[in-house]
Amino acid sequence: MKKSTELWYDKWAEDWNEALPVGSGRIGGMIYGNPYYDRISLNEDSIWSGGYRKRNNKSALENLQKVRELLFEEKISEAEDIVRDAFCGTPVNQRHYMPLGEFVIDQRGLGDIQNLRRSLDLETAVATVAFTTNGINYTREIIASYPDNVLAINIKADKKGSINVRLHIDGRDDYFDNNSPVSDDEIFYNGGMGGEDGINFASYIKVIADSGKVKRWGSFIKAEGCDEVTVLISCQTNYRFTDYKKEAERDIKKALRFTFNELKERHINDYKKYYDRVKIELYDNSEGKSDLPTNERLANIQNGGKDNKLIELYYNFARYLMIAGSREGTLPLNLQGIWNNEMWPAWGCKFTININTEMNYWPAESSGLSELTFPLFDLIEKMRPNGRVTAKEMYDCKGFVCHHNTDIWGDTAPQDLWMPGTQWPMGAAWLCLHIWEHYMFTKDKDFLKEKYGTIKEASEFFVDFLIENKNGQLVTCPSVSPENTYLTESGAKGSLCIGPSMDSQIIYELFTSVINASEVLGIDSDYADKLRTMRDKLPKPEIGKYGQIKEWAIDYDEVEPGHRHISQLFALYPADMISVRKTPELANAARATIERRLSHGGGHTGWSRAWIINLWARLNDGEKVYENIAALLAYSTNKNMLDNHPPFQIDGNFGGAAGISEALLQSINQELILLPALPKEWENGSFENLKARGGFTVSCKWENSKFSEALIVSNSGEVCRLIVNTPVKVLCNGEEIFCEEKDGAIVFNTISGKSYNIKTV
């Protein structure tokens, strides 16, 4: 049994939250596994609700100064009244993501079912449904192939002529034009939102049978008396191609050159190039529970049980989802990755960029999936021209800006009419920090040179937008602390504010990335000096009346002390402005912040719990890491292992995976830290080829909760500053090398391409 690389169940899925996901980055499917009447919920990443909308509010700029004056006078409600009308998007909403449809495999003539097994193999990215009926063994295999641009389904039986199946597609309400067979073995399915700038799609479904008969049957294709049936599903949209129908047809024709087994082999080879790069192994403490179906293992955790192999599976599943949902040329992962079955999904299933989209990519670099961040960078580039217009029309600023959501078109205007979230001009800035992160992990100067203009332009907005507060500090205004609401001393509630802590922290990191990039590339020194001067005037993290990190410039109370966002701890994670080694007093205040949130019911959404895991890891608290991973599995994970906000959001999967690796390896403040937050329950284990900032690849083993050995590969020839909680020596080519101890770190020079063995003394 594949304890940590396979999800498996002995029942079919009763609903979408139990179905298993497959994906090619662009085409996605959710597999229910019902032998009698199976459904595969289909998606294509560019099927959205319409075209680009010009939504910048023309009234914003003329009211900007008035809003600022009201906020300085602490007339919060008056300022919010203006912003609600004069700064909101026109219209209010961006476009939203939509499903492709429901593909049906109808075998309702089968007898009683025995030995049902529904599974997803994370080593091969193949979903399987196997069962026995009337002494015949049936198998369905489903793949979503990136190299061949199709979703492929293969149905087999071990008795010749025993496959009788009807195949059909539907499920988009009235938002389709055709779903009928166009020949005995092909269905053409198309539709969309219409209009001059709407997104329309075309899907071809081809049925290939080995023996037997294939024919039209109403809106179905019927295969009778077959030994084996393969179905190929393609889809393209006018988002990418003018003649999208021809492209979808071409995808089918190309795939028809291969048998299903050949398609599967090509798919597996492509997938394993990514999946096999990294491995985490934890010893099995489940007392036999790791052999159970995945849903029963989750129930065991919910009942207080232990299962390190399920944690391992969770990590592997997140890497699988990244490979399945974010590939070259696709859109980035939205709130649900690429998997959504609702015509009107929660929050539009958009790119929510006040943490959720960023969290989707937190584990990408460390887990060896660096290239899979490029769809995110492509989206940023799409936002730039729109963001320039928003910056100019709403704020009379240079650079580019985006608020707390964007969509397929890179819309940058404010989204929703919701004061705690809408008026937050930091989205583009946070996204651009992923550009610097990519450089820090890869040390790819060509990439940095290409993207320097992007991060510079994001910073230019704040050069113009920042204003001085009463203390002479540079602050944002107006803004919010994402989705939170405060109480003034008079008891009034407010969200709109001056200089919330997270804003200052993000801007500090953005300015720093531009300054550092300028130095690396040897360009733009005058602009870097300007940013240094401004950076010195940004507010720094401060400790409030509860011993916590202050969330607002004024030490307000929260209306909801257990709020899901912990925005003021951006400085702890994903940034490293706060750390146990460098800023111990602020680290203690960060601990108090988390404890206060949790004591009032915080961590109640999946992604919030995942963020908390990373925060505890940065505070070097392995027991809290383990406690919160267990809580994430017990309370915020569906039976199919997808994150449950609720409803389903994929960010918790990625945030949880990031937290697992963060407990084992950190690379912050130019230091590489081995096993910084190792839980006692992970007594023995290892990891292979985790990536670290500075261009390092790290493998490590530990026994009895103590470091055993490590291998560090230098990919860029950077100086290594190593933190490990035991005396060690460093060897290269079998010979001990010179190391220097500085501030508790073991410091040694490296040569690009060389490996360094870390051994206990």
Side-chain angles (χ1 to χ4, degrees):
M1 195 68 63
K2 298 179 177 180
K3 295 179 180 179
S4 61
T5 60
E6 185 182 46
L7 284 71
W8 77 276
Y9 307 82
D10 57 11
K11 297 179 177 62
W12 63 75
E14 295 291 343
D15 62 35
W16 195 89
N17 290 307
E18 297 180 14
L20 293 172
V22 295
S24 67
R26 187 176 61 81
I27 298 174
M30 294 291 285
I31 318 303
Y32 289 73
N34 186 322
Y36 300 110
Y37 192 84
D38 205 358
R39 290 177 294 152
I40 301 178
S41 297
L42 296 172
N43 289 99
E44 200 277 350
D45 70 345
S46 63
I47 298 177
W48 286 58
S49 62
Y52 178 64
R53 287 170 161 167
K54 295 181 179 179
R55 302 172 47 255
N56 295 316
N57 196 319
K58 304 297 185 183
S59 299
L61 182 57
E62 64 191 71
N63 285 284
L64 178 60
Q65 186 57 35
K66 179 62 175 177
V67 167
R68 286 173 166 171
E69 290 171 0
L70 289 170
L71 288 174
F72 274 104
E73 295 168 6
E74 297 186 358
K75 296 178 180 179
I76 309 299
S77 62
E78 292 181 39
E80 290 187 350
D81 285 343
I82 295 174
V83 166
R84 192 172 286 108
D85 293 333
F87 286 69
C88 68
T90 54
V92 169
N93 290 314
Q94 298 167 347
R95 299 302 190 180
H96 67 270
Y97 190 43
M98 304 176 83
L100 169 59
E102 295 270 324
F103 183 72
V104 173
I105 303 170
D106 185 350
Q107 287 186 273
R108 281 179 286 189
L110 296 172
D112 293 339
I113 301 298
Q114 298 91 37
N115 306 321
L116 176 69
R117 194 175 195 277
R118 178 173 59 100
S119 63
L120 174 62
D121 188 335
L122 303 182
E123 291 185 312
T124 62
V126 177
T128 304
V129 181
F131 55 89
T132 303
T133 179
N134 296 328
I136 304 169
N137 298 311
Y138 289 85
T139 304
R140 298 174 189 159
E141 288 187 311
I142 304 96
I143 62 172
S145 170
Y146 176 78
D148 291 306
N149 275 318
V150 293
L151 188 143
I153 306 155
N154 180 255
I155 306 171
K156 284 183 180 178
D158 64 1
K159 181 181 177 181
K160 287 185 177 298
S162 56
I163 297 175
N164 298 289
V165 60
R166 296 197 307 168
L167 304 164
H168 176 63
I169 190 167
D170 204 339
R172 271 182 56 87
D173 298 337
D174 288 329
Y175 296 99
F176 64 88
D177 297 323
N178 182 69
N179 67 339
S180 297
V182 293
S183 69
D184 281 340
D185 63 0
E186 191 168 52
I187 297 172
F188 175 59
Y189 174 64
N190 73 302
M193 298 307 294
E196 185 177 339
D197 60 353
I199 294 177
N200 296 313
F201 67 85
S203 177
Y204 283 88
I205 295 130
K206 185 77 170 181
V207 180
I208 308 105
D210 184 358
S211 75
K213 296 180 180 180
V214 177
K215 63 180 181 180
R216 307 183 198 209
W217 189 257
S219 60
F220 288 78
I221 288 178
K222 180 185 286 189
E224 295 178 316
C226 302
D227 300 342
E228 180 178 347
V229 173
T230 296
V231 182
L232 304 178
I233 302 174
S234 70
C235 182
Q236 293 289 356
T237 74
N238 64 341
Y239 177 76
R240 291 189 172 93
F241 297 103
T242 301
D243 196 346
Y244 58 99
K245 296 177 183 179
K246 181 177 286 187
E247 290 296 327
E249 187 176 20
R250 183 177 291 135
D251 289 341
I252 290 290
K253 289 179 179 178
K254 288 180 179 178
L256 282 170
R257 296 177 299 171
F258 306 103
T259 66
F260 177 79
N261 285 336
E262 289 170 337
L263 288 170
K264 184 170 75 167
E265 182 179 9
R266 287 164 56 81
H267 159 71
I268 292 171
N269 290 339
D270 169 74
Y271 170 79
K272 288 177 77 67
K273 288 188 303 186
Y274 299 95
Y275 183 81
D276 287 349
R277 292 176 181 175
V278 164
K279 183 178 181 180
I280 288 177
E281 189 162 1
L282 307 174
Y283 90 105
D284 191 347
N285 63 345
S286 69
E287 299 180 347
K289 296 293 177 64
S290 60
D291 292 330
L292 295 174
T294 304
N295 57 308
E296 295 183 28
R297 295 172 70 182
L298 279 168
N300 174 49
I301 297 291
Q302 291 163 0
N303 293 326
K306 299 174 181 179
D307 191 344
N308 280 340
K309 289 297 179 184
L310 188 64
I311 296 172
E312 201 178 301
L313 179 70
Y314 192 91
Y315 179 81
N316 291 333
F317 185 49
R319 295 185 71 250
Y320 164 83
L321 292 171
M322 181 78 66
I323 302 166
S326 182
R327 298 292 294 271
E328 181 184 358
T330 72
L331 289 163
L333 297 148
N334 63 41
L335 276 175
Q336 294 184 197
I338 55 172
W339 298 278
N340 157 53
N341 68 328
E342 301 288 344
M343 293 297 290
W344 287 94
W347 303 289
C349 203
K350 298 189 295 297
F351 307 106
T352 301
I353 55 176
N354 64 5
I355 188 169
N356 311 94
T357 303
E358 291 88 350
M359 183 179 285
N360 285 350
Y361 287 92
W362 281 356
E365 302 288 349
S366 65
S367 68
L369 301 176
S370 184
E371 311 98 304
L372 305 190
T373 59
F374 276 84
L376 183 65
F377 304 146
D378 293 343
L379 180 65
I380 295 171
E381 296 306 321
K382 196 176 298 176
M383 293 162 56
R384 280 178 77 184
N386 300 330
R388 292 174 192 137
V389 177
T390 300
K392 186 65 177 176
E393 290 186 353
M394 289 189 65
Y395 306 108
D396 194 26
C397 293
K398 296 177 184 175
F400 82 107
V401 66
C402 187
H403 297 80
H404 88 300
N405 269 258
T406 190
D407 64 9
I408 188 172
W409 305 106
D411 190 334
T412 54
Q415 161 68 22
D416 297 327
L417 269 179
W418 189 49
M419 195 54 58
T422 298
Q423 188 54 43
W424 190 69
M426 304 302 303
W430 192 350
L431 287 179
C432 282
L433 294 180
H434 283 259
I435 293 172
W436 179 248
E437 280 287 277
H438 183 78
Y439 170 74
M440 288 296 289
F441 276 90
T442 65
K443 291 295 179 175
D444 184 343
K445 287 187 180 180
D446 290 337
F447 168 82
L448 186 63
K449 184 177 181 180
E450 177 189 341
K451 296 297 182 183
Y452 175 76
T454 306
I455 59 175
K456 177 182 178 180
E457 191 172 5
S459 72
E460 286 176 326
F461 172 77
F462 296 100
V463 169
D464 286 352
F465 183 73
L466 293 173
I467 61 173
E468 284 196 359
N469 65 11
K470 295 176 181 178
N471 298 320
Q473 297 168 312
L474 291 176
V475 292
T476 55
C477 181
S479 188
V480 298
S481 186
E483 303 188 25
N484 211 349
T485 302
Y486 56 81
L487 279 172
T488 66
E489 288 187 6
S490 66
K493 297 178 182 180
S495 294
L496 206 64
C497 63
I498 302 168
S501 299
M502 185 188 226
D503 286 16
S504 300
Q505 294 167 14
I506 290 174
I507 295 167
Y508 184 94
E509 290 293 298
L510 179 64
F511 283 5
T512 300
S513 70
V514 177
I515 292 165
N516 291 341
S518 167
E519 293 176 349
V520 169
L521 298 173
I523 59 173
D524 226 359
S525 58
D526 289 345
Y527 185 70
D529 288 341
K530 182 176 184 177
L531 292 188
R532 284 189 187 92
T533 301
M534 295 186 70
R535 186 179 62 177
D536 289 343
K537 296 181 69 176
L538 293 171
K540 305 301 186 293
E542 295 181 358
I543 299 173
K545 58 191 173 187
Y546 299 109
Q548 90 289 8
I549 300 294
K550 288 167 59 175
E551 184 165 359
W552 294 277
I554 299 173
D555 197 7
Y556 293 125
D557 280 334
E558 310 98 323
V559 170
E560 184 186 345
H563 199 267
R564 59 197 173 276
H565 283 260
I566 317 178
S567 300
Q568 65 270 45
L569 294 192
F570 174 92
L572 176 64
Y573 187 94
D576 61 2
M577 298 166 66
I578 298 175
S579 70
V580 172
R581 279 176 49 76
K582 302 296 184 181
T583 60
E585 186 178 2
L586 290 175
N588 287 334
R591 172 179 287 273
T593 307
I594 305 169
E595 289 172 342
R596 176 173 164 79
R597 279 285 203 270
L598 290 175
S599 69
H600 289 87
H604 50 280
T605 66
W607 65 263
S608 179
R609 181 69 66 178
W611 192 3
I612 288 166
I613 294 167
N614 287 277
L615 295 172
W616 283 127
R618 284 287 174 89
L619 292 174
N620 298 351
D621 194 326
E623 299 321 296
K624 290 294 186 183
V625 166
Y626 184 84
E627 176 186 317
N628 283 274
I629 290 173
L632 182 66
L633 289 168
Y635 306 116
S636 298
T637 302
N638 289 318
K639 291 180 181 179
N640 60 5
M641 293 291 282
L642 289 174
D643 175 69
N644 189 15
H645 178 284
F648 158 57
Q649 281 186 197
I650 205 167
D651 38 31
N653 287 99
F654 297 120
I660 291 167
S661 60
E662 200 74 17
L664 300 174
L665 175 69
Q666 293 175 21
S667 50
I668 58 174
N669 293 311
Q670 292 77 52
E671 295 177 342
L672 197 157
I673 310 172
L674 294 176
L675 307 178
L678 186 69
K680 291 178 183 177
E681 285 295 337
W682 299 355
E683 183 179 355
N684 301 306
S686 64
F687 62 81
E688 297 176 14
N689 300 324
L690 287 178
K691 300 293 184 179
R693 296 171 185 86
F696 297 107
T697 302
V698 185
S699 302
C700 180
K701 294 181 180 179
W702 64 95
E703 297 175 357
N704 301 317
S705 299
K706 293 182 179 179
F707 170 83
S708 176
E709 61 178 307
L711 178 69
I712 300 173
V713 179
S714 175
N715 303 306
S716 305
E718 298 280 315
V719 173
C720 183
R721 297 173 177 85
L722 181 66
I723 307 293
V724 56
N725 290 327
T726 190
V728 297
K729 58 184 177 180
V730 181
L731 296 89
C732 182
N733 296 326
E735 296 185 2
E736 188 171 354
I737 65 170
F738 173 76
C739 298
E740 187 177 1
E741 288 195 23
K742 289 184 179 179
D743 190 27
I746 301 163
V747 182
F748 56 96
N749 293 322
T750 73
I751 299 172
S752 181
K754 293 287 187 179
S755 299
Y756 299 85
N757 295 96
I758 315 300
K759 302 282 189 180
T760 55
V761 176

